[in-house]
Amino acid sequence: MLTKPRLDWVLMLAVLGLVTLGSVLVWSATTQRADLTGGDPTAYLKKQLVNVAIGLVLMVLVLATDHRWVRIMAPLVYIASVAGLVLVLTMGTVVNGSRSWLMIGGMSIQPSEFAKLAVVIGMALWVAERHDVRRGRPGGALGDVAGMLAIAGLPAGLILLQPDLGTMLVLSATVFGVIAVSGAPRRWLALLAGGAVTAAVAAIAAGVLKQYQVDRFLAFTNPDLDPRGAGYNVEQARIAVGNGGLFGQGLFDGSQTRAGFVPEQHTDFVFTVAGEELGLVGAGVLIALLGLVIWRALRIAARTDDVFGRLAAAGIACWFGFQAFQNVGMCLGIMPVTGVPLPFVSYGGSSMFAGMLAIGLLQNIHLRSNATVPTRYTMPNRVLVRA
């Protein structure tokens, strides 16, 4: 007999812990900001809880979908993502210097958040389909890599035109991770890394990046270069985290947070609220929960024998891992400020929805893998037929 498929409850509880903690941190970051809340201290808490609720519904829809439909829908998700990125460039709204948002029915949508997931499943599907055609025969690595780069290249180019440097960095790290897991030779990975560095230098030289983005990189290399300008965010973030000490100043009692010194504290710099009000212990719990999500994603990737599932799960792990490192790193001054949200913690619908869709896909892959694992009571001479 086969074991009954079960959810990965460790992954589920870690995500629920993150969204709960994140909602409280968003509430704390905005409760004193009348300019944001319009006089309602719980305004952003209510909005974030709605985001979480919608995200959970999306997650359940994906995890309950038959795996064959997941693969069938993958190209449509990719096409929709590219279409959204094109619409952003033609009719998008500029926020913080980047044309990254679409206003739909009074709701702001950031298509680049969904592009991360679309690229992951697009690359995974490409390799899986080619693997099925070859039926396990060796060869085809060049075609696999070329196809994955082409799939990632179109959304990446559109994101660069916005320009959204933070999402571009996360997407690049994710693509590199998926290619590495796909079995590409190490020398190819070295060439890809070198090519990425060369392309970044060329983009800066060609003026693709905005001046404020270049200034942020310069401020990262020398925080004292412009403490009142490009380096202000990092300086205030480090002060807030440093104020927390071991156990923090207490929820809703952070001095920097209450005074509103840290810009974008409920979105990109929400980690500073944890650092100041919950201290090293609370911030450590937050990082541990993120690490738990990444570990379970990697575990799911390692335990499935399905090519699509393995690459998709590994890509999601790379996405969450690098984005979390980038976000926490810029709050601590060890990474440049690029404006990426902390997964499941920062305020925002698009990031929450994309992240929950990814968790639903991980659970879907996990359930399919578990459905084919025999129990210890299985008859030794019985042949198991995989779906």
Side-chain angles (χ1 to χ4, degrees):
M1 60 182 287
L2 300 179
T3 58
K4 183 180 179 179
R6 295 180 179 178
L7 291 176
D8 186 333
W9 282 107
V10 175
L11 173 62
M12 195 70 254
L13 291 174
V15 171
L16 291 176
L18 283 171
V19 298
T20 301
L21 183 55
S23 298
V24 174
L25 295 177
V26 168
W27 184 16
S28 178
T30 57
T31 188
Q32 298 292 327
R33 296 289 304 275
D35 57 320
L36 292 176
T37 64
D40 180 3
T42 62
Y44 273 78
L45 172 63
K46 296 173 184 175
K47 293 178 182 178
Q48 185 70 343
L49 291 177
V50 171
N51 292 335
V52 171
I54 295 174
L56 288 172
V57 171
L58 294 174
M59 180 196 70
V60 171
L61 289 176
V62 174
L63 73 85
T65 302
D66 186 276
H67 70 278
R68 289 167 294 187
W69 277 105
V70 172
R71 291 183 62 157
I72 291 172
M73 293 295 292
L76 299 179
V77 173
Y78 178 83
I79 293 172
S81 174
V82 171
L85 293 173
V86 171
L87 285 176
V88 162
L89 294 177
T90 57
M91 52 185 294
T93 302
V94 177
V95 178
N96 293 332
S98 295
R99 188 179 295 275
S100 304
W101 302 85
L102 284 175
M103 298 302 296
I104 301 176
M107 187 176 185
S108 58
I109 301 294
Q110 190 175 10
S112 59
E113 288 294 330
F114 300 97
K116 301 169 189 173
L117 180 59
V119 167
V120 167
I121 62 177
M123 292 191 298
L125 181 62
W126 167 260
V127 176
E129 293 294 332
R130 285 176 56 83
H131 183 272
D132 291 344
V133 170
R134 294 198 302 267
R135 296 186 182 278
R137 294 193 302 271
L142 179 59
D144 290 349
V145 174
M148 284 189 284
L149 290 176
I151 289 170
L154 179 56
L158 293 172
I159 291 171
L160 192 60
L161 289 175
Q162 293 179 5
D164 186 348
L165 181 59
T167 300
M168 186 64 192
L169 289 175
V170 173
L171 188 62
S172 299
T174 303
V175 170
F176 186 84
V178 174
I179 292 175
V181 174
S182 72
R186 293 180 180 178
R187 63 181 182 278
W188 292 10
L189 298 177
L191 287 174
L192 286 174
V197 173
T198 302
V201 173
I204 295 174
V208 175
L209 300 182
K210 301 290 186 180
Q211 185 58 46
Y212 76 91
Q213 293 173 317
V214 177
D215 291 341
R216 284 178 176 177
F217 271 98
L218 294 176
F220 165 68
T221 59
N222 182 8
D224 297 325
L225 183 65
D226 188 11
R228 297 292 182 181
Y232 177 80
N233 290 25
V234 174
E235 184 67 21
Q236 296 302 318
R238 292 172 65 180
I239 292 173
V241 173
N243 283 346
L246 185 59
F247 296 106
Q249 299 180 353
L251 275 173
F252 306 99
D253 288 330
S255 56
Q256 292 286 106
T257 301
R258 290 175 64 88
F261 284 132
V262 183
E264 308 297 335
Q265 197 170 17
H266 61 300
T267 54
D268 300 341
F269 286 91
V270 71
F271 181 78
T272 62
V273 185
E276 181 176 45
E277 299 188 346
L278 303 179
L280 179 62
V281 173
V285 170
L286 181 59
I287 293 174
L289 289 173
L290 288 165
L292 199 56
V293 170
I294 296 164
W295 168 55
R296 299 307 287 189
L298 291 173
R299 186 174 182 271
I300 290 171
R303 289 173 63 90
T304 181
D305 59 359
D306 174 61
V307 176
F308 173 80
R310 183 171 66 250
L311 293 183
I316 291 170
C318 293
W319 161 19
F320 288 164
F322 184 82
Q323 183 163 321
F325 175 77
Q326 169 64 29
N327 181 278
V328 174
M330 70 183 189
C331 292
L332 299 178
I334 61 174
M335 291 291 285
V337 176
T338 53
V340 295
L342 189 59
F344 309 108
V345 182
S346 293
Y347 172 79
S350 298
S351 176
M352 183 66 70
F353 302 158
M356 286 299 193
L357 286 169
I359 295 298
L361 180 56
L362 286 175
Q363 294 284 13
N364 189 295
I365 296 167
H366 171 74
L367 291 174
R368 172 163 161 72
S369 300
N370 272 8
T372 60
V373 178
T375 69
R376 60 190 180 94
Y377 300 108
T378 301
M379 294 297 290
N381 60 346
R382 182 174 179 177
V383 178
L384 297 176
V385 179
R386 296 183 181 273

